[in-house]
Amino acid sequence: MSYFEIPPFTDKGKAVSFGDTPGGDKGGQAAKPAPNSKMSMPTGPKTEFKNASTLSDGTQIGVATITGKKSGFTGKVWVWAPKEYNDPKYAKSGFPVMIALPGGAGYPINYWMGTDLKLQSSISQWYSEGKGKPFILAMPVLNPQPDEPKAIYWDGSDIPGQPKMGTWLTDDVPDLMRENFRTIKSRDGWAFMGSSTGGFSSLKAVLKHPEKFKAAICSGPDIVPDSPLWTGHDKEKAENNPELLAKQLIDKKGPDVYLAFQVGDNESNKKTLPDVQKFVATYTKGPIHTSLRVIPGGQHNAKTYVPNMGLGPMEFISKVMEGPVE
């Protein structure tokens, strides 16, 4: 009955609570952080998340439709917190956040929200093995509509005349997480990950906003913007080009960012691996720190990327990130 999502044998659609009063006393008062705390308590307003699925460890993936205050875009965001988040041991701790972006259209769903790819359970496993942080996941839609059949993807950017997807991903989604979760004040607790188009958007987000985000895991990414919607907007396109952004960051001498790439040696686009190798060879200097895992026999899909994240990329970024912290 649970498998077929037949009530009352499933929690799907029910309200999800992500620790309303973390560490609260019997009166329901939330734990108060120290004055010099590195963590940030949920600022509110509280978002009403509904259960999208439940993992075997009892943790839940919630979903809500929000309208970004800065982008004006309305879309779905799925969220998940590891079991440690509700552990009284961590009641006064802020947790790192990873914004996970899909490839393809990334609309109307973000495929990381499903339990079949095992991203959530893998994060828990990597943390237990000492390979990763107990990231809270934010899984927003990537585009404002499907990109087929005309292939009009948005490059995770604010393309003139189009929905502001760059602002959605780098302002509105982080704001949503701060409103509803105990997070980390500094950029040491904020990262992106993504595959394919989502890998490009993750790479670009960290290089464009290094004051906000410290690291990214980029799987099979494009390296330069290539949306057809950039036509006539060369200046703005250049402002969203990871190669130019990397050069600017090197020239400014920081802040330091950590970019973990992984690419299969059997990707459908044969340019992907050499393009990533060229980027790594050219821009790994000064404040830009990189790692590259070439996946033997790896193809251009999420099923290839998730298990390989635990074979280097996750550890690479987790070593320089914080959390849980008080």
Side-chain angles (χ1 to χ4, degrees):
M1 295 297 186
S2 176
Y3 177 83
F4 290 106
E5 297 178 346
I6 298 175
F9 303 98
T10 176
D11 290 327
K12 190 165 185 177
K14 294 183 179 179
V16 178
S17 172
F18 292 99
D20 287 337
T21 54
D25 57 27
K26 291 182 180 180
Q29 296 297 312
K32 292 184 179 180
N36 61 345
S37 174
K38 292 182 177 181
M39 68 90 80
S40 175
M41 291 293 289
T43 63
K46 181 181 176 182
T47 301
E48 297 299 323
F49 291 104
K50 300 295 185 182
N51 177 283
S53 56
T54 302
L55 277 65
S56 59
D57 65 359
T59 57
Q60 299 183 74
I61 297 172
V63 61
T65 299
I66 69 163
T67 298
K69 295 181 180 68
K70 296 175 182 174
S71 69
F73 172 70
T74 299
K76 288 184 176 181
V77 182
W78 289 262
V79 298
W80 173 83
K83 61 182 183 298
E84 287 80 12
Y85 186 82
N86 286 320
D87 186 334
K89 175 183 174 182
Y90 297 105
K92 296 182 180 181
S93 296
F95 281 67
V97 174
M98 177 175 282
I99 301 171
L101 305 180
Y107 180 93
I109 67 167
N110 177 324
Y111 56 57
W112 298 118
M113 49 72 70
T115 57
D116 55 325
L117 295 172
K118 303 187 185 304
L119 176 60
Q120 293 82 3
S121 56
S122 294
I123 285 175
S124 293
Q125 178 182 336
W126 295 327
Y127 179 55
S128 70
E129 295 172 348
K131 295 179 179 178
K133 296 293 185 185
F135 288 102
I136 301 171
L137 287 179
M139 300 164 278
V141 295
L142 179 61
N143 288 320
Q145 64 188 57
D147 64 6
E148 296 296 340
K150 296 182 179 180
I152 51 172
Y153 42 95
W154 283 257
D155 276 345
S157 304
D158 290 0
I159 300 175
Q162 300 294 326
K164 296 182 177 181
M165 302 314 294
T167 299
W168 162 255
L169 296 174
T170 60
D171 282 319
D172 293 331
V173 173
D175 285 349
L176 173 73
M177 303 309 285
R178 292 188 187 95
E179 289 168 358
N180 290 278
F181 293 89
R182 302 188 311 277
T183 57
I184 296 172
K185 292 177 181 177
S186 76
R187 72 189 194 103
D188 293 342
W190 294 85
F192 273 86
M193 67 81 69
S195 57
S196 193
T197 304
F200 165 84
S201 298
S202 298
L203 172 66
K204 190 275 299 283
V206 173
L207 290 171
K208 190 174 178 69
H209 302 286
E211 76 286 356
K212 296 181 182 180
F213 310 104
K214 192 170 189 178
I217 297 177
C218 310
S219 304
D222 302 319
I223 293 298
V224 296
D226 59 356
S227 169
L229 296 170
W230 288 116
T231 302
H233 304 292
D234 291 346
K235 176 179 178 292
E236 292 84 358
K237 182 178 180 180
E239 292 169 351
N240 288 275
N241 186 326
E243 293 183 333
L244 299 179
L245 291 168
K247 185 178 184 302
Q248 292 168 12
L249 189 60
I250 293 168
D251 291 344
K252 289 191 297 184
K253 297 180 169 51
D256 290 75
V257 296
Y258 296 80
L259 308 171
F261 295 93
Q262 56 173 2
V263 185
D265 63 8
N266 192 29
E267 297 258 347
S268 51
N269 184 346
K270 300 306 177 186
K271 286 188 60 185
T272 302
L273 180 54
D275 284 353
V276 170
Q277 289 173 324
K278 181 181 178 182
F279 182 93
V280 169
T282 305
Y283 299 107
T284 304
K285 62 181 73 172
I288 299 181
H289 310 268
T290 66
S291 72
L292 171 58
R293 173 170 171 75
V294 179
I295 304 168
Q299 298 182 335
H300 191 73
N301 58 58
K303 289 185 178 180
T304 291
Y305 299 140
V306 172
N308 281 279
M309 281 174 59
L311 299 176
M314 179 57 69
E315 198 165 8
F316 178 77
I317 70 164
S318 293
K319 284 181 178 178
V320 298
M321 297 192 70
E322 289 195 329
V325 294
E326 294 188 8

